Amino acid sequence: MKVLMFGWEFPPHILGGLGTASYGLTQGMSLQEDMDITFCIPKPWGDEDQSFLRIVGMNSVPVVWKEPTYEEVKHRFGTYMQPELYYELRNHIYADFSYMHTNDMGCIEFSGRYPDNLHEEINNYSIVAGVVARQQTFDIIHSHDWLTYPAGIHAKQVSGKPLVVHVHATDFDRSRGNVNPTVYGIEKNGMDMADCIMCVSELTRQTVIHKYHQDPRKVFTVHNAVSPLAPEIEAIQPQKNPKEKIVTFLGRLTMQKGPEYFVEAASLVLQRTKNIRFVMAGNGDMMQQMIRLVAERGIADRFHFPGFMKGKQVYEVLKMSDVYIMPSVSEPFGISPLEAMQCSVPTIISKQSGCAEILEKCIKIDYWDIQAMADAIYAICHYDALYEYLKTEGKKEVDSIVWEKVGLLVRRLYDQVLSHHHS
Protein backbone atom coordinates (compact mmCIF):
# COMPACT_ATOMS: atom_id res chain seq x y z
CA MET A 1 0.00 0.00 0.00
CA LYS A 2 1.66 3.21 -1.20
CA VAL A 3 0.34 6.45 0.26
CA LEU A 4 1.08 9.93 -1.05
CA MET A 5 0.51 12.16 1.96
CA PHE A 6 0.37 15.94 2.05
CA GLY A 7 1.08 17.75 5.31
CA TRP A 8 2.17 21.19 6.44
CA GLU A 9 4.51 20.47 9.33
CA PHE A 10 6.55 17.57 10.65
CA PRO A 11 8.72 17.29 13.79
CA PRO A 12 11.08 18.52 15.05
CA HIS A 13 10.06 21.85 13.46
CA ILE A 14 6.44 22.21 14.47
CA LEU A 15 4.13 25.08 15.32
CA GLY A 16 1.26 23.10 16.81
CA GLY A 17 -0.63 19.84 17.20
CA LEU A 18 -0.83 19.15 13.46
CA GLY A 19 2.86 18.22 13.27
CA THR A 20 2.64 16.01 16.36
CA ALA A 21 -0.40 14.17 15.00
CA SER A 22 1.14 13.74 11.52
CA TYR A 23 4.21 12.18 13.07
CA GLY A 24 2.36 9.85 15.43
CA LEU A 25 -0.10 8.72 12.78
CA THR A 26 2.52 7.95 10.12
CA GLN A 27 4.75 6.20 12.64
CA GLY A 28 1.80 4.09 13.83
CA MET A 29 0.83 3.24 10.25
CA SER A 30 4.40 2.30 9.31
CA LEU A 31 4.28 -0.64 11.75
CA GLN A 32 2.25 -2.44 9.05
CA GLU A 33 4.70 -4.39 6.90
CA ASP A 34 3.52 -3.24 3.47
CA MET A 35 2.85 0.40 4.30
CA ASP A 36 4.91 2.81 2.23
CA ILE A 37 4.43 6.52 2.94
CA THR A 38 5.74 9.52 1.03
CA PHE A 39 5.10 12.63 3.12
CA CYS A 40 5.20 16.06 1.44
CA ILE A 41 5.84 19.22 3.45
CA PRO A 42 6.53 22.79 2.29
CA LYS A 43 10.02 23.06 3.74
CA PRO A 44 12.04 20.29 5.40
CA TRP A 45 15.03 21.27 7.57
CA GLY A 46 16.98 18.07 7.08
CA ASP A 47 16.73 16.79 10.66
CA GLU A 48 13.36 15.03 10.23
CA ASP A 49 13.15 11.36 11.18
CA GLN A 50 12.91 9.52 7.85
CA SER A 51 13.31 6.02 9.28
CA PHE A 52 9.67 5.07 8.62
CA LEU A 53 8.66 7.32 5.69
CA ARG A 54 10.11 9.42 2.89
CA ILE A 55 9.94 13.19 3.10
CA VAL A 56 9.56 15.27 -0.03
CA GLY A 57 10.17 19.00 0.41
CA MET A 58 7.91 21.00 -1.88
CA ASN A 59 10.65 23.66 -1.92
CA SER A 60 12.98 21.19 -3.69
CA VAL A 61 10.57 20.13 -6.44
CA PRO A 62 11.34 22.03 -9.67
CA VAL A 63 8.48 23.67 -11.56
CA VAL A 64 10.73 25.51 -14.01
CA TRP A 65 13.48 23.69 -15.97
CA LYS A 66 16.97 24.68 -14.77
CA GLU A 67 20.21 22.78 -15.27
CA PRO A 68 22.07 22.62 -11.96
CA THR A 69 24.90 20.10 -11.66
CA TYR A 70 24.52 16.95 -9.57
CA GLU A 71 26.86 18.49 -6.97
CA GLU A 72 24.77 21.67 -6.74
CA VAL A 73 21.59 19.68 -6.16
CA LYS A 74 23.33 17.50 -3.58
CA HIS A 75 24.74 20.55 -1.82
CA ARG A 76 21.34 22.25 -1.66
CA PHE A 77 18.91 19.41 -0.92
CA GLY A 78 21.18 16.53 0.07
CA THR A 79 20.27 16.46 3.77
CA TYR A 80 16.79 15.13 3.03
CA MET A 81 16.61 14.17 -0.66
CA GLN A 82 18.54 12.17 -3.23
CA PRO A 83 19.61 14.38 -6.17
CA GLU A 84 18.27 11.73 -8.59
CA LEU A 85 14.76 12.54 -7.36
CA TYR A 86 15.21 16.20 -8.31
CA TYR A 87 15.93 15.21 -11.93
CA GLU A 88 13.07 12.70 -12.03
CA LEU A 89 10.67 15.34 -10.76
CA ARG A 90 12.02 17.83 -13.30
CA ASN A 91 10.93 15.46 -16.08
CA HIS A 92 7.33 15.85 -14.87
CA ILE A 93 6.95 19.62 -15.04
CA TYR A 94 3.56 19.85 -16.71
CA ALA A 95 3.13 23.52 -17.69
CA ASP A 96 5.05 26.72 -18.24
CA PHE A 97 5.54 28.20 -14.79
CA SER A 98 8.25 30.66 -15.82
CA TYR A 99 5.95 33.52 -14.75
CA MET A 100 6.13 32.21 -11.14
CA HIS A 101 8.69 33.46 -8.69
CA THR A 102 11.26 30.63 -8.59
CA ASN A 103 14.89 30.36 -7.45
CA ASP A 104 18.05 29.23 -9.28
CA MET A 105 16.93 25.58 -8.96
CA GLY A 106 13.58 26.31 -10.61
CA CYS A 107 11.86 25.73 -7.27
CA ILE A 108 9.32 27.81 -5.34
CA GLU A 109 10.45 28.91 -1.87
CA PHE A 110 8.15 28.17 1.08
CA SER A 111 8.29 29.63 4.57
CA GLY A 112 7.08 26.33 6.07
CA ARG A 113 5.10 28.36 8.60
CA TYR A 114 1.77 30.20 8.57
CA PRO A 115 2.81 33.47 6.85
CA ASP A 116 0.68 36.48 5.91
CA ASN A 117 0.60 35.28 2.30
CA LEU A 118 -0.60 31.84 3.41
CA HIS A 119 -3.15 31.57 0.59
CA GLU A 120 -0.41 32.14 -1.97
CA GLU A 121 1.70 29.40 -0.34
CA ILE A 122 -1.25 27.00 -0.35
CA ASN A 123 -1.81 27.67 -4.05
CA ASN A 124 1.91 27.24 -4.83
CA TYR A 125 1.94 24.01 -2.81
CA SER A 126 -0.88 22.64 -4.96
CA ILE A 127 0.99 23.58 -8.17
CA VAL A 128 4.05 21.69 -6.94
CA ALA A 129 1.81 18.77 -5.93
CA GLY A 130 0.97 18.36 -9.61
CA VAL A 131 4.61 17.59 -10.41
CA VAL A 132 4.92 15.20 -7.44
CA ALA A 133 1.70 13.36 -8.33
CA ARG A 134 2.90 12.86 -11.91
CA GLN A 135 6.27 11.48 -10.79
CA GLN A 136 5.35 9.28 -7.81
CA THR A 137 3.48 5.97 -7.91
CA PHE A 138 0.85 5.50 -5.20
CA ASP A 139 -2.48 3.84 -4.42
CA ILE A 140 -4.14 6.55 -2.37
CA ILE A 141 -3.77 10.26 -1.49
CA HIS A 142 -4.10 11.53 2.09
CA SER A 143 -4.30 15.31 2.76
CA HIS A 144 -3.98 16.79 6.26
CA ASP A 145 -6.01 19.89 7.11
CA TRP A 146 -7.30 22.54 4.72
CA LEU A 147 -3.84 23.85 3.78
CA THR A 148 -3.16 20.73 1.72
CA TYR A 149 -6.65 19.99 0.37
CA PRO A 150 -6.02 21.81 -2.94
CA ALA A 151 -2.84 19.74 -3.37
CA GLY A 152 -4.79 16.54 -2.70
CA ILE A 153 -7.49 17.50 -5.22
CA HIS A 154 -4.86 18.28 -7.85
CA ALA A 155 -3.11 14.95 -7.22
CA LYS A 156 -6.45 13.15 -7.55
CA GLN A 157 -7.23 14.88 -10.85
CA VAL A 158 -3.79 14.00 -12.22
CA SER A 159 -3.65 10.38 -11.06
CA GLY A 160 -7.27 9.27 -10.83
CA LYS A 161 -6.43 7.83 -7.41
CA PRO A 162 -8.84 8.22 -4.48
CA LEU A 163 -8.44 11.09 -2.02
CA VAL A 164 -8.72 10.91 1.76
CA VAL A 165 -8.88 14.19 3.67
CA HIS A 166 -8.02 14.37 7.36
CA VAL A 167 -9.86 17.02 9.35
CA HIS A 168 -7.79 18.04 12.38
CA ALA A 169 -9.83 21.22 12.82
CA THR A 170 -12.37 23.25 10.87
CA ASP A 171 -12.67 27.00 10.61
CA PHE A 172 -15.71 26.74 12.90
CA ASP A 173 -13.35 25.65 15.68
CA ARG A 174 -10.67 28.23 14.98
CA SER A 175 -13.02 31.21 14.62
CA ARG A 176 -15.76 30.39 17.15
CA GLY A 177 -18.30 30.46 14.36
CA ASN A 178 -17.07 33.68 12.72
CA VAL A 179 -16.00 31.76 9.64
CA ASN A 180 -13.59 33.03 6.98
CA PRO A 181 -15.44 32.36 3.69
CA THR A 182 -12.23 31.71 1.72
CA VAL A 183 -11.03 29.10 4.21
CA TYR A 184 -14.50 27.57 4.43
CA GLY A 185 -14.57 27.34 0.63
CA ILE A 186 -11.22 25.52 0.53
CA GLU A 187 -12.33 23.15 3.31
CA LYS A 188 -15.68 22.40 1.71
CA ASN A 189 -14.17 21.85 -1.73
CA GLY A 190 -11.65 19.40 -0.23
CA MET A 191 -14.41 17.49 1.54
CA ASP A 192 -16.66 17.49 -1.55
CA MET A 193 -13.84 16.02 -3.65
CA ALA A 194 -12.77 13.48 -1.03
CA ASP A 195 -13.66 9.80 -1.25
CA CYS A 196 -13.32 9.50 2.52
CA ILE A 197 -13.15 12.08 5.31
CA MET A 198 -11.33 11.24 8.56
CA CYS A 199 -12.19 13.41 11.57
CA VAL A 200 -10.27 13.52 14.83
CA SER A 201 -13.46 13.25 16.90
CA GLU A 202 -17.19 12.64 16.69
CA LEU A 203 -17.57 16.33 17.57
CA THR A 204 -15.66 17.25 14.39
CA ARG A 205 -17.49 14.59 12.39
CA GLN A 206 -20.83 16.22 13.27
CA THR A 207 -19.48 19.64 12.22
CA VAL A 208 -18.35 18.18 8.89
CA ILE A 209 -21.74 16.57 8.26
CA HIS A 210 -23.90 19.53 9.32
CA LYS A 211 -21.83 22.62 8.51
CA TYR A 212 -20.10 21.30 5.38
CA HIS A 213 -23.08 19.21 4.22
CA GLN A 214 -21.17 15.95 3.74
CA ASP A 215 -22.65 12.49 3.27
CA PRO A 216 -22.34 10.77 6.69
CA ARG A 217 -21.44 7.52 4.89
CA LYS A 218 -18.08 8.89 3.87
CA VAL A 219 -17.23 10.63 7.17
CA PHE A 220 -15.44 8.63 9.88
CA THR A 221 -14.11 9.33 13.35
CA VAL A 222 -10.43 8.49 13.81
CA HIS A 223 -9.37 9.64 17.27
CA ASN A 224 -5.77 10.73 17.80
CA ALA A 225 -3.42 8.90 20.12
CA VAL A 226 -0.12 9.74 21.80
CA SER A 227 3.45 8.59 21.09
CA PRO A 228 5.42 6.89 23.90
CA LEU A 229 7.70 9.26 25.80
CA ALA A 230 11.30 9.33 24.61
CA PRO A 231 13.89 8.11 27.15
CA GLU A 232 15.34 11.63 27.54
CA ILE A 233 11.84 12.92 28.40
CA GLU A 234 11.26 10.04 30.87
CA ALA A 235 14.54 11.01 32.51
CA ILE A 236 13.50 14.61 33.32
CA GLN A 237 13.39 14.98 37.11
CA PRO A 238 11.44 18.10 38.03
CA GLN A 239 12.34 20.17 41.08
CA LYS A 240 9.11 20.53 43.01
CA ASN A 241 8.50 22.92 45.88
CA PRO A 242 6.51 20.90 48.46
CA LYS A 243 4.91 24.10 49.81
CA GLU A 244 3.47 25.13 46.46
CA LYS A 245 1.27 23.58 43.80
CA ILE A 246 1.56 24.44 40.12
CA VAL A 247 -1.43 24.59 37.76
CA THR A 248 -0.62 24.79 34.05
CA PHE A 249 -2.35 25.91 30.87
CA LEU A 250 -0.39 25.15 27.70
CA GLY A 251 -1.59 26.25 24.29
CA ARG A 252 -2.17 29.14 21.93
CA LEU A 253 -3.61 32.16 23.72
CA THR A 254 -6.56 32.47 21.37
CA MET A 255 -10.31 32.60 21.76
CA GLN A 256 -10.61 28.92 20.81
CA LYS A 257 -8.49 27.78 23.77
CA GLY A 258 -10.48 29.61 26.47
CA PRO A 259 -7.57 31.30 28.31
CA GLU A 260 -9.82 33.85 30.03
CA TYR A 261 -11.75 31.06 31.76
CA PHE A 262 -8.47 29.74 33.16
CA VAL A 263 -7.64 33.19 34.58
CA GLU A 264 -11.12 33.62 36.11
CA ALA A 265 -10.97 30.16 37.68
CA ALA A 266 -7.49 30.92 39.05
CA SER A 267 -8.83 34.09 40.60
CA LEU A 268 -11.58 32.07 42.36
CA VAL A 269 -9.06 29.48 43.61
CA LEU A 270 -6.76 32.18 44.98
CA GLN A 271 -9.61 33.61 47.04
CA ARG A 272 -9.53 30.34 49.00
CA THR A 273 -5.83 29.54 49.14
CA LYS A 274 -2.51 31.23 48.42
CA ASN A 275 -0.05 28.37 47.90
CA ILE A 276 -0.81 27.75 44.22
CA ARG A 277 1.01 29.17 41.20
CA PHE A 278 -0.57 29.39 37.77
CA VAL A 279 1.41 29.01 34.57
CA MET A 280 0.01 30.13 31.23
CA ALA A 281 2.45 28.86 28.60
CA GLY A 282 1.98 29.81 24.96
CA ASN A 283 1.52 32.94 22.92
CA GLY A 284 -1.22 34.31 20.73
CA ASP A 285 -3.40 37.32 20.05
CA MET A 286 -4.92 37.29 23.56
CA MET A 287 -1.62 37.48 25.43
CA GLN A 288 -1.79 41.20 26.35
CA GLN A 289 -5.47 40.89 27.25
CA MET A 290 -4.68 37.99 29.63
CA ILE A 291 -1.81 39.89 31.28
CA ARG A 292 -4.21 42.80 31.86
CA LEU A 293 -6.93 40.49 33.21
CA VAL A 294 -4.48 38.90 35.65
CA ALA A 295 -3.48 42.38 36.86
CA GLU A 296 -7.12 43.47 37.18
CA ARG A 297 -7.89 40.43 39.31
CA GLY A 298 -4.92 41.25 41.53
CA ILE A 299 -3.27 37.84 41.08
CA ALA A 300 -0.16 38.82 39.10
CA ASP A 301 2.16 37.61 41.88
CA ARG A 302 0.80 34.05 41.45
CA PHE A 303 0.86 34.04 37.64
CA HIS A 304 3.60 33.25 35.12
CA PHE A 305 3.66 33.79 31.35
CA PRO A 306 6.69 31.88 30.04
CA GLY A 307 5.68 32.21 26.34
CA PHE A 308 5.71 29.56 23.60
CA MET A 309 7.23 26.25 24.67
CA LYS A 310 8.50 23.51 22.43
CA GLY A 311 9.93 20.02 22.60
CA LYS A 312 11.65 19.27 25.86
CA GLN A 313 10.52 22.53 27.52
CA VAL A 314 6.91 21.39 27.27
CA TYR A 315 7.70 18.26 29.26
CA GLU A 316 9.78 20.13 31.82
CA VAL A 317 6.78 22.36 32.51
CA LEU A 318 4.35 19.43 32.56
CA LYS A 319 6.46 17.40 34.98
CA MET A 320 6.65 20.35 37.37
CA SER A 321 2.87 20.69 37.34
CA ASP A 322 0.37 19.33 39.84
CA VAL A 323 -2.64 20.04 37.63
CA TYR A 324 -2.97 20.44 33.86
CA ILE A 325 -5.98 22.18 32.43
CA MET A 326 -7.37 22.61 28.92
CA PRO A 327 -10.48 24.81 29.07
CA SER A 328 -10.99 24.93 25.28
CA VAL A 329 -14.19 26.44 23.94
CA SER A 330 -13.97 24.29 20.83
CA GLU A 331 -11.27 21.66 20.54
CA PRO A 332 -11.54 19.15 17.68
CA PHE A 333 -9.33 16.73 19.62
CA GLY A 334 -6.65 18.18 21.91
CA ILE A 335 -3.48 16.11 22.21
CA SER A 336 -1.94 18.06 25.10
CA PRO A 337 -4.08 16.52 27.90
CA LEU A 338 -2.87 13.08 26.77
CA GLU A 339 0.73 14.32 26.98
CA ALA A 340 0.07 15.67 30.48
CA MET A 341 -1.49 12.39 31.64
CA GLN A 342 1.51 10.53 30.19
CA CYS A 343 3.67 12.60 32.54
CA SER A 344 1.40 11.55 35.46
CA VAL A 345 -0.20 14.98 35.82
CA PRO A 346 -3.85 15.07 36.97
CA THR A 347 -5.83 16.70 34.19
CA ILE A 348 -8.95 18.82 33.77
CA ILE A 349 -10.49 19.17 30.29
CA SER A 350 -13.53 20.89 28.85
CA LYS A 351 -16.48 18.75 27.78
CA GLN A 352 -16.25 20.71 24.51
CA SER A 353 -13.12 18.83 23.41
CA GLY A 354 -12.84 15.77 21.19
CA CYS A 355 -10.46 13.97 23.53
CA ALA A 356 -13.22 13.99 26.19
CA GLU A 357 -14.82 11.26 24.04
CA ILE A 358 -12.01 8.82 24.82
CA LEU A 359 -10.63 9.96 28.20
CA GLU A 360 -12.24 8.84 31.45
CA LYS A 361 -9.57 9.25 34.13
CA CYS A 362 -9.63 13.03 34.21
CA ILE A 363 -12.05 15.72 35.36
CA LYS A 364 -14.39 17.13 32.70
CA ILE A 365 -16.08 20.51 33.07
CA ASP A 366 -17.91 22.91 30.77
CA TYR A 367 -15.43 25.54 29.61
CA TRP A 368 -17.70 28.37 30.81
CA ASP A 369 -18.21 26.93 34.28
CA ILE A 370 -15.38 28.69 36.11
CA GLN A 371 -16.82 27.67 39.48
CA ALA A 372 -16.60 23.96 38.62
CA MET A 373 -13.11 24.55 37.18
CA ALA A 374 -11.99 26.28 40.38
CA ASP A 375 -13.48 23.50 42.53
CA ALA A 376 -11.65 20.86 40.48
CA ILE A 377 -8.31 22.69 40.75
CA TYR A 378 -8.77 23.20 44.49
CA ALA A 379 -9.75 19.58 45.04
CA ILE A 380 -6.77 18.11 43.15
CA CYS A 381 -4.39 20.42 45.01
CA HIS A 382 -5.85 19.64 48.44
CA TYR A 383 -7.04 16.04 48.45
CA ASP A 384 -4.14 13.64 48.14
CA ALA A 385 -6.35 10.64 47.37
CA LEU A 386 -7.90 12.40 44.36
CA TYR A 387 -4.49 13.61 43.20
CA GLU A 388 -2.98 10.10 43.42
CA TYR A 389 -5.95 8.48 41.69
CA LEU A 390 -5.89 10.84 38.70
CA LYS A 391 -2.11 10.67 38.50
CA THR A 392 -1.79 6.86 38.33
CA GLU A 393 -5.06 5.95 36.60
CA GLY A 394 -4.66 8.77 34.06
CA LYS A 395 -1.23 7.53 33.06
CA LYS A 396 -2.48 3.95 32.80
CA GLU A 397 -5.34 5.05 30.57
CA VAL A 398 -3.28 7.07 28.05
CA ASP A 399 -0.56 4.44 27.86
CA SER A 400 -3.12 2.22 26.12
CA ILE A 401 -4.10 4.90 23.56
CA VAL A 402 -1.47 4.11 20.94
CA TRP A 403 -0.97 5.23 17.34
CA GLU A 404 -0.55 1.65 16.15
CA LYS A 405 -4.28 1.06 16.75
CA VAL A 406 -5.14 4.28 14.90
CA GLY A 407 -2.93 3.12 12.02
CA LEU A 408 -4.94 -0.11 11.76
CA LEU A 409 -8.21 1.83 11.61
CA VAL A 410 -6.83 4.14 8.90
CA ARG A 411 -5.74 1.06 6.96
CA ARG A 412 -9.23 -0.46 7.16
CA LEU A 413 -10.67 2.79 5.77
CA TYR A 414 -8.07 2.86 2.96
CA ASP A 415 -8.99 -0.72 2.02
CA GLN A 416 -12.68 0.22 2.03
CA VAL A 417 -12.08 3.25 -0.21
CA LEU A 418 -9.93 1.23 -2.64
CA SER A 419 -12.48 -1.59 -2.92
CA HIS A 420 -15.23 0.95 -3.78
CA HIS A 421 -12.87 2.69 -6.17
CA HIS A 422 -12.06 -0.50 -8.08
CA SER A 423 -15.60 -1.92 -8.12
Side-chain angles (χ1 to χ4, degrees):
M1 170 82 66
K2 277 179 153 24
V3 188
L4 178 60
M5 209 175 261
F6 293 108
W8 202 258
E9 42 176 81
F10 197 79
H13 300 269
I14 58 171
L15 298 149
L18 181 61
T20 309
S22 299
Y23 181 86
L25 176 66
T26 48
Q27 199 184 20
M29 287 165 65
S30 72
L31 297 168
Q32 299 161 38
E33 299 265 297
D34 64 337
M35 188 60 78
D36 182 339
I37 303 168
T38 299
F39 196 92
C40 302
I41 48 173
K43 181 182 181 175
W45 298 83
D47 51 1
E48 289 82 5
D49 177 1
Q50 292 204 46
S51 59
F52 55 90
L53 46 60
R54 261 186 320 283
I55 292 221
V56 171
M58 299 307 242
N59 64 339
S60 52
V61 175
V63 295
V64 172
W65 189 283
K66 300 278 184 188
E67 302 196 347
T69 66
Y70 188 88
E71 284 311 311
E72 284 170 327
V73 178
K74 191 170 167 57
H75 175 70
R76 186 77 69 88
F77 304 135
T79 48
Y80 56 85
M81 168 171 146
Q82 296 296 330
E84 286 80 2
L85 181 57
Y86 171 87
Y87 296 110
E88 279 178 41
L89 287 161
R90 190 178 66 175
N91 289 333
H92 290 85
I93 296 173
Y94 57 93
D96 179 5
F97 292 115
S98 54
Y99 67 91
M100 303 270 310
H101 189 73
T102 56
N103 61 18
D104 56 334
M105 302 303 237
C107 300
I108 301 174
E109 305 272 356
F110 288 92
S111 71
R113 302 179 73 81
Y114 298 94
D116 293 338
N117 66 332
L118 183 58
H119 289 280
E120 188 186 341
E121 290 220 343
I122 290 169
N123 188 43
N124 290 348
Y125 185 102
S126 74
I127 286 173
V128 178
V131 176
V132 176
R134 283 169 173 81
Q135 184 271 329
Q136 294 280 326
T137 49
F138 48 91
D139 302 302
I140 199 160
I141 305 153
H142 192 143
S143 279
H144 291 279
D145 247 15
W146 67 283
L147 306 143
T148 72
Y149 292 173
I153 293 170
H154 192 169
K156 176 179 177 166
Q157 286 163 340
V158 166
S159 63
K161 297 289 198 258
L163 169 65
V164 173
V165 303
H166 207 116
V167 185
H168 295 264
T170 68
D171 210 48
F172 283 89
D173 304 299
R174 287 183 292 265
S175 66
R176 245 191 197 174
N178 187 12
V179 178
N180 174 332
T182 315
V183 176
Y184 176 85
I186 294 173
E187 289 177 327
K188 180 154 178 10
N189 198 25
M191 295 174 193
D192 290 346
M193 292 295 291
D195 297 271
C196 170
I197 303 171
M198 298 183 185
C199 303
V200 292
S201 59
E202 182 57 34
L203 195 75
T204 306
R205 181 173 176 266
Q206 292 303 326
T207 302
V208 165
I209 292 167
H210 298 296
K211 304 276 195 212
Y212 293 84
H213 316 296
Q214 297 302 309
D215 178 350
R217 288 170 305 185
K218 75 171 190 181
V219 192
F220 299 88
T221 297
V222 177
H223 287 109
N224 284 331
V226 69
S227 300
L229 293 178
E232 62 270 23
I233 303 288
E234 290 277 15
I236 298 171
Q237 292 298 327
Q239 299 298 309
K240 282 195 172 183
N241 176 353
K243 295 197 183 69
E244 280 195 324
K245 302 288 187 193
I246 292 181
V247 179
T248 300
F249 168 108
L250 215 150
R252 291 197 313 278
L253 304 189
T254 60
M255 204 162 60
Q256 180 193 344
K257 303 291 181 185
E260 70 273 34
Y261 300 101
F262 176 73
V263 175
E264 296 293 10
S267 169
L268 290 175
V269 171
L270 291 167
Q271 287 167 19
R272 293 157 73 176
T273 179
K274 282 284 171 271
N275 64 343
I276 299 180
R277 283 186 185 279
F278 292 85
V279 175
M280 186 168 248
N283 56 18
D285 56 19
M286 287 178 71
M287 179 84 146
Q288 293 310 316
Q289 199 184 327
M290 290 306 102
I291 293 172
R292 276 201 303 276
L293 184 59
V294 163
E296 277 165 23
R297 294 287 174 269
I299 54 176
D301 59 324
R302 312 308 289 154
F303 239 90
H304 302 269
F305 290 93
F308 179 73
M309 302 264 164
K310 61 171 195 260
K312 203 172 164 191
Q313 295 171 305
V314 168
Y315 289 99
E316 284 166 353
V317 171
L318 287 177
K319 289 192 165 202
M320 277 168 50
S321 306
D322 299 280
V323 181
Y324 178 76
I325 177 155
M326 183 182 76
S328 296
V329 174
S330 171
E331 187 68 53
F333 185 78
I335 249 168
S336 63
L338 282 75
E339 294 172 333
M341 290 161 78
Q342 253 186 326
C343 294
S344 307
V345 183
T347 295
I348 303 168
I349 58 177
S350 71
K351 292 175 185 172
Q352 290 71 25
S353 61
C355 61
E357 297 167 14
I358 59 168
L359 294 175
E360 289 304 325
K361 307 293 192 236
C362 59
I363 295 180
K364 303 179 200 181
I365 43 99
D366 288 302
Y367 71 86
W368 43 260
D369 194 342
I370 54 171
Q371 196 60 61
M373 205 182 296
D375 289 343
I377 294 168
Y378 185 88
I380 296 169
C381 291
H382 283 83
Y383 305 123
D384 292 345
L386 177 62
Y387 173 83
E388 288 299 330
Y389 175 81
L390 290 172
K391 177 179 162 170
T392 47
E393 293 302 315
K395 176 154 178 57
K396 233 185 276 178
E397 180 173 46
V398 295
D399 284 346
S400 69
I401 301 175
V402 293
W403 283 110
E404 187 175 1
K405 291 180 193 166
V406 184
L408 290 168
L409 171 55
V410 168
R411 176 57 183 266
R412 278 207 303 280
L413 293 172
Y414 282 174
D415 288 338
Q416 213 172 304
V417 168
L418 287 166
S419 70
H420 286 309
H421 188 70
H422 294 309
S423 58

